[in-house]
Amino acid sequence: MLAKRIIACLDVKDGQTVKGVSFENLRYAGDPVELGKIYSEQGIDELVYLDITATNEGRKQIYSLVESVAKNLSIPFTIGGGISSVEDAENLLIHGADKVSVNSAAVKNPQLVSDLAEKFGKQFVVVAIDAKTINNEWIVHTHGGKRPTDKELYSWAKEMENRGAGEILFTSMDHDGHQTGFANESLAKLSDMLSIPIIASGGAGTMEHFRDAFLIGKADAALAASVFHFGQISVPELKNYLANQNIQIRK
């Protein structure tokens, strides 16, 4: 069994890390490169940087951020936000990103995922899915969670796997920022139906929530933001706790 991963997510707006609740009411959390360095030193396994305004406000030049992260960190990191073409992804990878994450662009043009996987290999391609429950059904949203689509979570995730996604990053908009735990039932269903890794996102508030995401949600990785950014949970303590729960984690 592969070791479970702990991932810190840094939502970037105007060059600064921000965090909100259910994708709203953003507050600043610090410099993204400096935060990344701290997490790396603490033993985080991976980082995800999301330019949360890129899709809404047009493509921003984030190459300098990518270069700074690559220069200062030795752990893998993923870049997402506003990637709408193979060329966009290629430029980010050239500047130092280890993986790219696509969300809105994949919904608009599913062929993009196929093209990215063919060009770079599926291990470079993360498909992020933001979804919330509407009438008891998980509906995929785009543009930073602002636009509902006609896509349903499970069928969409399966299509993305079939098109070559290497990982699925599932964020429950219902849980995001509320710190009440991950959407474990849905995570488990995704894990059972897909053969690629599932990253749990949205809802981390305690170390027990991470445990449950792995044991109940069957997630391959768990991602959080606020609890790390504002010092509620330290990465070393979390890893020690999970190891004591007999969960195989990366050292």
PDB file of all heavy atoms in Angstrom, residues 125-161:
ATOM      1  N   VAL A 125      -0.854  15.248 -14.398  1.00  0.00           N
ATOM      2  CA  VAL A 125      -2.174  15.859 -14.578  1.00  0.00           C
ATOM      3  C   VAL A 125      -3.091  15.569 -13.384  1.00  0.00           C
ATOM      4  O   VAL A 125      -3.450  14.428 -13.110  1.00  0.00           O
ATOM      5  CB  VAL A 125      -2.844  15.339 -15.865  1.00  0.00           C
ATOM      6  CG1 VAL A 125      -4.176  16.052 -16.085  1.00  0.00           C
ATOM      7  CG2 VAL A 125      -1.924  15.525 -17.064  1.00  0.00           C
ATOM      8  N   VAL A 126      -3.453  16.624 -12.686  1.00  0.00           N
ATOM      9  CA  VAL A 126      -4.420  16.549 -11.594  1.00  0.00           C
ATOM     10  C   VAL A 126      -5.704  17.238 -12.057  1.00  0.00           C
ATOM     11  O   VAL A 126      -5.661  18.362 -12.549  1.00  0.00           O
ATOM     12  CB  VAL A 126      -3.893  17.254 -10.327  1.00  0.00           C
ATOM     13  CG1 VAL A 126      -4.930  17.186  -9.205  1.00  0.00           C
ATOM     14  CG2 VAL A 126      -2.565  16.658  -9.880  1.00  0.00           C
ATOM     15  N   VAL A 127      -6.814  16.561 -11.914  1.00  0.00           N
ATOM     16  CA  VAL A 127      -8.100  17.200 -12.211  1.00  0.00           C
ATOM     17  C   VAL A 127      -8.765  17.548 -10.885  1.00  0.00           C
ATOM     18  O   VAL A 127      -9.043  16.668 -10.060  1.00  0.00           O
ATOM     19  CB  VAL A 127      -9.014  16.302 -13.057  1.00  0.00           C
ATOM     20  CG1 VAL A 127     -10.412  16.925 -13.167  1.00  0.00           C
ATOM     21  CG2 VAL A 127      -8.426  16.102 -14.442  1.00  0.00           C
ATOM     22  N   ALA A 128      -8.966  18.853 -10.686  1.00  0.00           N
ATOM     23  CA  ALA A 128      -9.636  19.334  -9.481  1.00  0.00           C
ATOM     24  C   ALA A 128     -11.129  19.409  -9.742  1.00  0.00           C
ATOM     25  O   ALA A 128     -11.561  19.916 -10.781  1.00  0.00           O
ATOM     26  CB  ALA A 128      -9.092  20.699  -9.086  1.00  0.00           C
ATOM     27  N   ILE A 129     -11.903  18.895  -8.807  1.00  0.00           N
ATOM     28  CA  ILE A 129     -13.353  18.930  -8.926  1.00  0.00           C
ATOM     29  C   ILE A 129     -13.924  19.600  -7.681  1.00  0.00           C
ATOM     30  O   ILE A 129     -13.759  19.099  -6.567  1.00  0.00           O
ATOM     31  CB  ILE A 129     -13.948  17.520  -9.076  1.00  0.00           C
ATOM     32  CG1 ILE A 129     -13.366  16.806 -10.305  1.00  0.00           C
ATOM     33  CG2 ILE A 129     -15.469  17.589  -9.176  1.00  0.00           C
ATOM     34  CD1 ILE A 129     -13.846  15.366 -10.464  1.00  0.00           C
ATOM     35  N   ASP A 130     -14.573  20.746  -7.876  1.00  0.00           N
ATOM     36  CA  ASP A 130     -15.288  21.435  -6.802  1.00  0.00           C
ATOM     37  C   ASP A 130     -16.762  21.089  -6.947  1.00  0.00           C
ATOM     38  O   ASP A 130     -17.360  21.318  -8.005  1.00  0.00           O
ATOM     39  CB  ASP A 130     -15.116  22.952  -6.906  1.00  0.00           C
ATOM     40  CG  ASP A 130     -13.661  23.382  -6.841  1.00  0.00           C
ATOM     41  OD1 ASP A 130     -12.862  22.676  -6.207  1.00  0.00           O
ATOM     42  OD2 ASP A 130     -13.326  24.438  -7.415  1.00  0.00           O
ATOM     43  N   ALA A 131     -17.354  20.543  -5.893  1.00  0.00           N
ATOM     44  CA  ALA A 131     -18.748  20.134  -5.992  1.00  0.00           C
ATOM     45  C   ALA A 131     -19.500  20.437  -4.702  1.00  0.00           C
ATOM     46  O   ALA A 131     -18.915  20.470  -3.618  1.00  0.00           O
ATOM     47  CB  ALA A 131     -18.845  18.644  -6.323  1.00  0.00           C
ATOM     48  N   LYS A 132     -20.783  20.683  -4.843  1.00  0.00           N
ATOM     49  CA  LYS A 132     -21.647  20.867  -3.680  1.00  0.00           C
ATOM     50  C   LYS A 132     -22.950  20.134  -3.928  1.00  0.00           C
ATOM     51  O   LYS A 132     -23.328  19.879  -5.076  1.00  0.00           O
ATOM     52  CB  LYS A 132     -21.896  22.354  -3.400  1.00  0.00           C
ATOM     53  CG  LYS A 132     -22.713  23.058  -4.460  1.00  0.00           C
ATOM     54  CD  LYS A 132     -22.838  24.555  -4.172  1.00  0.00           C
ATOM     55  CE  LYS A 132     -23.591  24.826  -2.883  1.00  0.00           C
ATOM     56  NZ  LYS A 132     -23.802  26.282  -2.681  1.00  0.00           N
ATOM     57  N   THR A 133     -23.642  19.799  -2.844  1.00  0.00           N
ATOM     58  CA  THR A 133     -24.884  19.052  -2.984  1.00  0.00           C
ATOM     59  C   THR A 133     -26.044  20.001  -3.277  1.00  0.00           C
ATOM     60  O   THR A 133     -26.256  20.989  -2.579  1.00  0.00           O
ATOM     61  CB  THR A 133     -25.188  18.247  -1.711  1.00  0.00           C
ATOM     62  OG1 THR A 133     -25.094  19.101  -0.567  1.00  0.00           O
ATOM     63  CG2 THR A 133     -24.207  17.099  -1.561  1.00  0.00           C
ATOM     64  N   ILE A 134     -26.762  19.663  -4.334  1.00  0.00           N
ATOM     65  CA  ILE A 134     -27.974  20.375  -4.718  1.00  0.00           C
ATOM     66  C   ILE A 134     -29.046  19.326  -4.967  1.00  0.00           C
ATOM     67  O   ILE A 134     -28.880  18.449  -5.811  1.00  0.00           O
ATOM     68  CB  ILE A 134     -27.749  21.225  -5.985  1.00  0.00           C
ATOM     69  CG1 ILE A 134     -26.661  22.285  -5.739  1.00  0.00           C
ATOM     70  CG2 ILE A 134     -29.049  21.888  -6.418  1.00  0.00           C
ATOM     71  CD1 ILE A 134     -26.311  23.100  -6.965  1.00  0.00           C
ATOM     72  N   ASN A 135     -30.115  19.391  -4.191  1.00  0.00           N
ATOM     73  CA  ASN A 135     -31.188  18.382  -4.298  1.00  0.00           C
ATOM     74  C   ASN A 135     -30.624  16.969  -4.164  1.00  0.00           C
ATOM     75  O   ASN A 135     -30.942  16.063  -4.941  1.00  0.00           O
ATOM     76  CB  ASN A 135     -31.946  18.530  -5.615  1.00  0.00           C
ATOM     77  CG  ASN A 135     -32.662  19.863  -5.727  1.00  0.00           C
ATOM     78  OD1 ASN A 135     -33.165  20.386  -4.729  1.00  0.00           O
ATOM     79  ND2 ASN A 135     -32.697  20.419  -6.934  1.00  0.00           N
ATOM     80  N   ASN A 136     -29.755  16.815  -3.161  1.00  0.00           N
ATOM     81  CA  ASN A 136     -29.162  15.515  -2.819  1.00  0.00           C
ATOM     82  C   ASN A 136     -28.271  14.940  -3.905  1.00  0.00           C
ATOM     83  O   ASN A 136     -28.047  13.727  -3.959  1.00  0.00           O
ATOM     84  CB  ASN A 136     -30.254  14.493  -2.466  1.00  0.00           C
ATOM     85  CG  ASN A 136     -31.012  14.866  -1.200  1.00  0.00           C
ATOM     86  OD1 ASN A 136     -30.400  15.271  -0.207  1.00  0.00           O
ATOM     87  ND2 ASN A 136     -32.326  14.761  -1.239  1.00  0.00           N
ATOM     88  N   GLU A 137     -27.765  15.787  -4.782  1.00  0.00           N
ATOM     89  CA  GLU A 137     -26.845  15.329  -5.818  1.00  0.00           C
ATOM     90  C   GLU A 137     -25.623  16.236  -5.827  1.00  0.00           C
ATOM     91  O   GLU A 137     -25.739  17.454  -5.698  1.00  0.00           O
ATOM     92  CB  GLU A 137     -27.528  15.356  -7.186  1.00  0.00           C
ATOM     93  CG  GLU A 137     -26.678  14.778  -8.303  1.00  0.00           C
ATOM     94  CD  GLU A 137     -27.427  14.730  -9.630  1.00  0.00           C
ATOM     95  OE1 GLU A 137     -28.219  15.660  -9.911  1.00  0.00           O
ATOM     96  OE2 GLU A 137     -27.228  13.769 -10.383  1.00  0.00           O
ATOM     97  N   TRP A 138     -24.449  15.610  -5.968  1.00  0.00           N
ATOM     98  CA  TRP A 138     -23.206  16.386  -6.013  1.00  0.00           C
ATOM     99  C   TRP A 138     -23.060  17.016  -7.401  1.00  0.00           C
ATOM    100  O   TRP A 138     -22.857  16.316  -8.392  1.00  0.00           O
ATOM    101  CB  TRP A 138     -22.001  15.481  -5.744  1.00  0.00           C
ATOM    102  CG  TRP A 138     -21.806  15.133  -4.305  1.00  0.00           C
ATOM    103  CD1 TRP A 138     -22.130  13.960  -3.693  1.00  0.00           C
ATOM    104  CD2 TRP A 138     -21.209  15.956  -3.303  1.00  0.00           C
ATOM    105  NE1 TRP A 138     -21.789  13.996  -2.363  1.00  0.00           N
ATOM    106  CE2 TRP A 138     -21.205  15.218  -2.103  1.00  0.00           C
ATOM    107  CE3 TRP A 138     -20.662  17.246  -3.305  1.00  0.00           C
ATOM    108  CZ2 TRP A 138     -20.686  15.722  -0.900  1.00  0.00           C
ATOM    109  CZ3 TRP A 138     -20.143  17.755  -2.117  1.00  0.00           C
ATOM    110  CH2 TRP A 138     -20.164  16.996  -0.942  1.00  0.00           C
ATOM    111  N   ILE A 139     -23.144  18.341  -7.441  1.00  0.00           N
ATOM    112  CA  ILE A 139     -23.056  19.072  -8.705  1.00  0.00           C
ATOM    113  C   ILE A 139     -21.695  19.750  -8.805  1.00  0.00           C
ATOM    114  O   ILE A 139     -21.273  20.467  -7.884  1.00  0.00           O
ATOM    115  CB  ILE A 139     -24.176  20.124  -8.826  1.00  0.00           C
ATOM    116  CG1 ILE A 139     -25.548  19.442  -8.745  1.00  0.00           C
ATOM    117  CG2 ILE A 139     -24.029  20.920 -10.121  1.00  0.00           C
ATOM    118  CD1 ILE A 139     -25.800  18.413  -9.828  1.00  0.00           C
ATOM    119  N   VAL A 140     -21.026  19.526  -9.916  1.00  0.00           N
ATOM    120  CA  VAL A 140     -19.716  20.123 -10.161  1.00  0.00           C
ATOM    121  C   VAL A 140     -19.880  21.620 -10.435  1.00  0.00           C
ATOM    122  O   VAL A 140     -20.788  22.036 -11.172  1.00  0.00           O
ATOM    123  CB  VAL A 140     -19.024  19.434 -11.363  1.00  0.00           C
ATOM    124  CG1 VAL A 140     -17.702  20.107 -11.691  1.00  0.00           C
ATOM    125  CG2 VAL A 140     -18.821  17.942 -11.061  1.00  0.00           C
ATOM    126  N   HIS A 141     -19.002  22.429  -9.829  1.00  0.00           N
ATOM    127  CA  HIS A 141     -18.990  23.874 -10.031  1.00  0.00           C
ATOM    128  C   HIS A 141     -17.650  24.306 -10.611  1.00  0.00           C
ATOM    129  O   HIS A 141     -16.630  23.654 -10.389  1.00  0.00           O
ATOM    130  CB  HIS A 141     -19.234  24.608  -8.712  1.00  0.00           C
ATOM    131  CG  HIS A 141     -20.660  24.588  -8.253  1.00  0.00           C
ATOM    132  ND1 HIS A 141     -21.350  23.410  -8.012  1.00  0.00           N
ATOM    133  CD2 HIS A 141     -21.536  25.605  -7.992  1.00  0.00           C
ATOM    134  CE1 HIS A 141     -22.595  23.712  -7.614  1.00  0.00           C
ATOM    135  NE2 HIS A 141     -22.721  25.032  -7.597  1.00  0.00           N
ATOM    136  N   THR A 142     -17.666  25.417 -11.324  1.00  0.00           N
ATOM    137  CA  THR A 142     -16.437  25.963 -11.908  1.00  0.00           C
ATOM    138  C   THR A 142     -16.268  27.424 -11.496  1.00  0.00           C
ATOM    139  O   THR A 142     -17.083  27.974 -10.759  1.00  0.00           O
ATOM    140  CB  THR A 142     -16.452  25.866 -13.445  1.00  0.00           C
ATOM    141  OG1 THR A 142     -17.560  26.644 -13.947  1.00  0.00           O
ATOM    142  CG2 THR A 142     -16.588  24.424 -13.910  1.00  0.00           C
ATOM    143  N   HIS A 143     -15.188  28.021 -11.995  1.00  0.00           N
ATOM    144  CA  HIS A 143     -14.884  29.428 -11.737  1.00  0.00           C
ATOM    145  C   HIS A 143     -14.864  29.734 -10.240  1.00  0.00           C
ATOM    146  O   HIS A 143     -15.573  30.606  -9.743  1.00  0.00           O
ATOM    147  CB  HIS A 143     -15.867  30.346 -12.472  1.00  0.00           C
ATOM    148  CG  HIS A 143     -15.759  30.246 -13.966  1.00  0.00           C
ATOM    149  ND1 HIS A 143     -16.300  29.182 -14.678  1.00  0.00           N
ATOM    150  CD2 HIS A 143     -15.156  31.047 -14.871  1.00  0.00           C
ATOM    151  CE1 HIS A 143     -16.042  29.348 -15.960  1.00  0.00           C
ATOM    152  NE2 HIS A 143     -15.344  30.463 -16.107  1.00  0.00           N
ATOM    153  N   GLY A 144     -14.003  28.984  -9.533  1.00  0.00           N
ATOM    154  CA  GLY A 144     -13.876  29.193  -8.100  1.00  0.00           C
ATOM    155  C   GLY A 144     -15.135  28.880  -7.328  1.00  0.00           C
ATOM    156  O   GLY A 144     -15.405  29.470  -6.278  1.00  0.00           O
ATOM    157  N   GLY A 145     -15.908  27.925  -7.832  1.00  0.00           N
ATOM    158  CA  GLY A 145     -17.129  27.514  -7.154  1.00  0.00           C
ATOM    159  C   GLY A 145     -18.330  28.399  -7.415  1.00  0.00           C
ATOM    160  O   GLY A 145     -19.379  28.224  -6.804  1.00  0.00           O
ATOM    161  N   LYS A 146     -18.208  29.325  -8.339  1.00  0.00           N
ATOM    162  CA  LYS A 146     -19.282  30.295  -8.577  1.00  0.00           C
ATOM    163  C   LYS A 146     -20.326  29.827  -9.595  1.00  0.00           C
ATOM    164  O   LYS A 146     -21.438  30.338  -9.605  1.00  0.00           O
ATOM    165  CB  LYS A 146     -18.688  31.638  -9.025  1.00  0.00           C
ATOM    166  CG  LYS A 146     -17.902  32.361  -7.926  1.00  0.00           C
ATOM    167  CD  LYS A 146     -17.321  33.660  -8.427  1.00  0.00           C
ATOM    168  CE  LYS A 146     -16.739  34.481  -7.278  1.00  0.00           C
ATOM    169  NZ  LYS A 146     -15.691  33.776  -6.548  1.00  0.00           N
ATOM    170  N   ARG A 147     -19.961  28.890 -10.460  1.00  0.00           N
ATOM    171  CA  ARG A 147     -20.884  28.507 -11.532  1.00  0.00           C
ATOM    172  C   ARG A 147     -21.213  27.012 -11.471  1.00  0.00           C
ATOM    173  O   ARG A 147     -20.347  26.167 -11.657  1.00  0.00           O
ATOM    174  CB  ARG A 147     -20.266  28.817 -12.900  1.00  0.00           C
ATOM    175  CG  ARG A 147     -20.005  30.294 -13.141  1.00  0.00           C
ATOM    176  CD  ARG A 147     -19.539  30.517 -14.567  1.00  0.00           C
ATOM    177  NE  ARG A 147     -19.059  31.872 -14.784  1.00  0.00           N
ATOM    178  CZ  ARG A 147     -18.543  32.313 -15.924  1.00  0.00           C
ATOM    179  NH1 ARG A 147     -18.436  31.489 -16.964  1.00  0.00           N
ATOM    180  NH2 ARG A 147     -18.122  33.556 -16.032  1.00  0.00           N
ATOM    181  N   PRO A 148     -22.487  26.679 -11.226  1.00  0.00           N
ATOM    182  CA  PRO A 148     -22.882  25.270 -11.305  1.00  0.00           C
ATOM    183  C   PRO A 148     -22.864  24.803 -12.752  1.00  0.00           C
ATOM    184  O   PRO A 148     -23.061  25.595 -13.679  1.00  0.00           O
ATOM    185  CB  PRO A 148     -24.302  25.268 -10.727  1.00  0.00           C
ATOM    186  CG  PRO A 148     -24.801  26.662 -10.961  1.00  0.00           C
ATOM    187  CD  PRO A 148     -23.604  27.567 -10.862  1.00  0.00           C
ATOM    188  N   THR A 149     -22.606  23.525 -12.942  1.00  0.00           N
ATOM    189  CA  THR A 149     -22.568  22.950 -14.283  1.00  0.00           C
ATOM    190  C   THR A 149     -23.611  21.849 -14.391  1.00  0.00           C
ATOM    191  O   THR A 149     -24.370  21.598 -13.449  1.00  0.00           O
ATOM    192  CB  THR A 149     -21.182  22.340 -14.575  1.00  0.00           C
ATOM    193  OG1 THR A 149     -21.023  21.134 -13.786  1.00  0.00           O
ATOM    194  CG2 THR A 149     -20.059  23.316 -14.242  1.00  0.00           C
ATOM    195  N   ASP A 150     -23.639  21.196 -15.533  1.00  0.00           N
ATOM    196  CA  ASP A 150     -24.542  20.054 -15.702  1.00  0.00           C
ATOM    197  C   ASP A 150     -23.830  18.741 -15.391  1.00  0.00           C
ATOM    198  O   ASP A 150     -24.356  17.663 -15.681  1.00  0.00           O
ATOM    199  CB  ASP A 150     -25.108  20.027 -17.122  1.00  0.00           C
ATOM    200  CG  ASP A 150     -24.020  19.895 -18.187  1.00  0.00           C
ATOM    201  OD1 ASP A 150     -22.809  19.949 -17.849  1.00  0.00           O
ATOM    202  OD2 ASP A 150     -24.376  19.730 -19.371  1.00  0.00           O
ATOM    203  N   LYS A 151     -22.648  18.839 -14.779  1.00  0.00           N
ATOM    204  CA  LYS A 151     -21.865  17.639 -14.461  1.00  0.00           C
ATOM    205  C   LYS A 151     -22.182  17.152 -13.048  1.00  0.00           C
ATOM    206  O   LYS A 151     -22.352  17.945 -12.117  1.00  0.00           O
ATOM    207  CB  LYS A 151     -20.364  17.926 -14.555  1.00  0.00           C
ATOM    208  CG  LYS A 151     -19.905  18.586 -15.844  1.00  0.00           C
ATOM    209  CD  LYS A 151     -20.015  17.666 -17.028  1.00  0.00           C
ATOM    210  CE  LYS A 151     -19.431  18.317 -18.277  1.00  0.00           C
ATOM    211  NZ  LYS A 151     -19.669  17.512 -19.497  1.00  0.00           N
ATOM    212  N   GLU A 152     -22.222  15.839 -12.914  1.00  0.00           N
ATOM    213  CA  GLU A 152     -22.401  15.200 -11.609  1.00  0.00           C
ATOM    214  C   GLU A 152     -21.066  14.602 -11.187  1.00  0.00           C
ATOM    215  O   GLU A 152     -20.317  14.084 -12.014  1.00  0.00           O
ATOM    216  CB  GLU A 152     -23.496  14.138 -11.723  1.00  0.00           C
ATOM    217  CG  GLU A 152     -23.776  13.355 -10.470  1.00  0.00           C
ATOM    218  CD  GLU A 152     -22.911  12.114 -10.358  1.00  0.00           C
ATOM    219  OE1 GLU A 152     -22.465  11.606 -11.417  1.00  0.00           O
ATOM    220  OE2 GLU A 152     -22.673  11.654  -9.225  1.00  0.00           O
ATOM    221  N   LEU A 153     -20.757  14.705  -9.902  1.00  0.00           N
ATOM    222  CA  LEU A 153     -19.427  14.377  -9.384  1.00  0.00           C
ATOM    223  C   LEU A 153     -18.895  13.032  -9.862  1.00  0.00           C
ATOM    224  O   LEU A 153     -17.799  12.953 -10.417  1.00  0.00           O
ATOM    225  CB  LEU A 153     -19.459  14.404  -7.854  1.00  0.00           C
ATOM    226  CG  LEU A 153     -18.222  13.840  -7.137  1.00  0.00           C
ATOM    227  CD1 LEU A 153     -16.984  14.681  -7.446  1.00  0.00           C
ATOM    228  CD2 LEU A 153     -18.475  13.757  -5.631  1.00  0.00           C
ATOM    229  N   TYR A 154     -19.630  11.960  -9.644  1.00  0.00           N
ATOM    230  CA  TYR A 154     -19.073  10.623  -9.857  1.00  0.00           C
ATOM    231  C   TYR A 154     -18.862  10.307 -11.332  1.00  0.00           C
ATOM    232  O   TYR A 154     -17.814   9.771 -11.719  1.00  0.00           O
ATOM    233  CB  TYR A 154     -19.963   9.573  -9.183  1.00  0.00           C
ATOM    234  CG  TYR A 154     -20.159   9.838  -7.709  1.00  0.00           C
ATOM    235  CD1 TYR A 154     -21.397  10.224  -7.212  1.00  0.00           C
ATOM    236  CD2 TYR A 154     -19.094   9.723  -6.819  1.00  0.00           C
ATOM    237  CE1 TYR A 154     -21.573  10.486  -5.863  1.00  0.00           C
ATOM    238  CE2 TYR A 154     -19.266   9.983  -5.462  1.00  0.00           C
ATOM    239  CZ  TYR A 154     -20.506  10.364  -4.996  1.00  0.00           C
ATOM    240  OH  TYR A 154     -20.670  10.642  -3.657  1.00  0.00           O
ATOM    241  N   SER A 155     -19.830  10.638 -12.143  1.00  0.00           N
ATOM    242  CA  SER A 155     -19.664  10.375 -13.571  1.00  0.00           C
ATOM    243  C   SER A 155     -18.574  11.255 -14.167  1.00  0.00           C
ATOM    244  O   SER A 155     -17.820  10.817 -15.047  1.00  0.00           O
ATOM    245  CB  SER A 155     -20.994  10.594 -14.308  1.00  0.00           C
ATOM    246  OG  SER A 155     -21.466  11.914 -14.128  1.00  0.00           O
ATOM    247  N   TRP A 156     -18.465  12.481 -13.669  1.00  0.00           N
ATOM    248  CA  TRP A 156     -17.424  13.383 -14.162  1.00  0.00           C
ATOM    249  C   TRP A 156     -16.039  12.884 -13.759  1.00  0.00           C
ATOM    250  O   TRP A 156     -15.103  12.887 -14.562  1.00  0.00           O
ATOM    251  CB  TRP A 156     -17.671  14.793 -13.640  1.00  0.00           C
ATOM    252  CG  TRP A 156     -16.644  15.798 -14.058  1.00  0.00           C
ATOM    253  CD1 TRP A 156     -15.851  16.546 -13.244  1.00  0.00           C
ATOM    254  CD2 TRP A 156     -16.291  16.178 -15.399  1.00  0.00           C
ATOM    255  NE1 TRP A 156     -15.020  17.363 -13.983  1.00  0.00           N
ATOM    256  CE2 TRP A 156     -15.273  17.152 -15.309  1.00  0.00           C
ATOM    257  CE3 TRP A 156     -16.737  15.770 -16.660  1.00  0.00           C
ATOM    258  CZ2 TRP A 156     -14.692  17.727 -16.441  1.00  0.00           C
ATOM    259  CZ3 TRP A 156     -16.165  16.350 -17.791  1.00  0.00           C
ATOM    260  CH2 TRP A 156     -15.157  17.319 -17.672  1.00  0.00           C
ATOM    261  N   ALA A 157     -15.893  12.444 -12.525  1.00  0.00           N
ATOM    262  CA  ALA A 157     -14.607  11.914 -12.069  1.00  0.00           C
ATOM    263  C   ALA A 157     -14.200  10.694 -12.894  1.00  0.00           C
ATOM    264  O   ALA A 157     -13.031  10.531 -13.262  1.00  0.00           O
ATOM    265  CB  ALA A 157     -14.681  11.559 -10.582  1.00  0.00           C
ATOM    266  N   LYS A 158     -15.175   9.835 -13.195  1.00  0.00           N
ATOM    267  CA  LYS A 158     -14.880   8.649 -13.998  1.00  0.00           C
ATOM    268  C   LYS A 158     -14.447   9.047 -15.405  1.00  0.00           C
ATOM    269  O   LYS A 158     -13.497   8.469 -15.960  1.00  0.00           O
ATOM    270  CB  LYS A 158     -16.109   7.739 -14.057  1.00  0.00           C
ATOM    271  CG  LYS A 158     -15.844   6.405 -14.758  1.00  0.00           C
ATOM    272  CD  LYS A 158     -14.793   5.592 -13.983  1.00  0.00           C
ATOM    273  CE  LYS A 158     -14.537   4.242 -14.652  1.00  0.00           C
ATOM    274  NZ  LYS A 158     -13.488   3.480 -13.926  1.00  0.00           N
ATOM    275  N   GLU A 159     -15.120  10.022 -15.994  1.00  0.00           N
ATOM    276  CA  GLU A 159     -14.721  10.476 -17.322  1.00  0.00           C
ATOM    277  C   GLU A 159     -13.307  11.038 -17.304  1.00  0.00           C
ATOM    278  O   GLU A 159     -12.508  10.790 -18.225  1.00  0.00           O
ATOM    279  CB  GLU A 159     -15.681  11.534 -17.846  1.00  0.00           C
ATOM    280  CG  GLU A 159     -15.281  12.043 -19.237  1.00  0.00           C
ATOM    281  CD  GLU A 159     -16.215  13.089 -19.815  1.00  0.00           C
ATOM    282  OE1 GLU A 159     -17.332  13.254 -19.293  1.00  0.00           O
ATOM    283  OE2 GLU A 159     -15.821  13.740 -20.806  1.00  0.00           O
ATOM    284  N   MET A 160     -12.977  11.770 -16.260  1.00  0.00           N
ATOM    285  CA  MET A 160     -11.629  12.352 -16.164  1.00  0.00           C
ATOM    286  C   MET A 160     -10.562  11.265 -16.029  1.00  0.00           C
ATOM    287  O   MET A 160      -9.484  11.356 -16.610  1.00  0.00           O
ATOM    288  CB  MET A 160     -11.565  13.331 -14.993  1.00  0.00           C
ATOM    289  CG  MET A 160     -12.375  14.603 -15.204  1.00  0.00           C
ATOM    290  SD  MET A 160     -11.781  15.601 -16.610  1.00  0.00           S
ATOM    291  CE  MET A 160     -12.813  14.991 -17.966  1.00  0.00           C
ATOM    292  N   GLU A 161     -10.874  10.221 -15.265  1.00  0.00           N
ATOM    293  CA  GLU A 161      -9.945   9.095 -15.178  1.00  0.00           C
ATOM    294  C   GLU A 161      -9.767   8.457 -16.557  1.00  0.00           C
ATOM    295  O   GLU A 161      -8.634   8.168 -16.985  1.00  0.00           O
ATOM    296  CB  GLU A 161     -10.450   8.050 -14.191  1.00  0.00           C
ATOM    297  CG  GLU A 161      -9.526   6.837 -14.101  1.00  0.00           C
ATOM    298  CD  GLU A 161     -10.085   5.737 -13.226  1.00  0.00           C
ATOM    299  OE1 GLU A 161     -11.295   5.439 -13.336  1.00  0.00           O
ATOM    300  OE2 GLU A 161      -9.304   5.173 -12.438  1.00  0.00           O
TER     301      GLU A 161
END
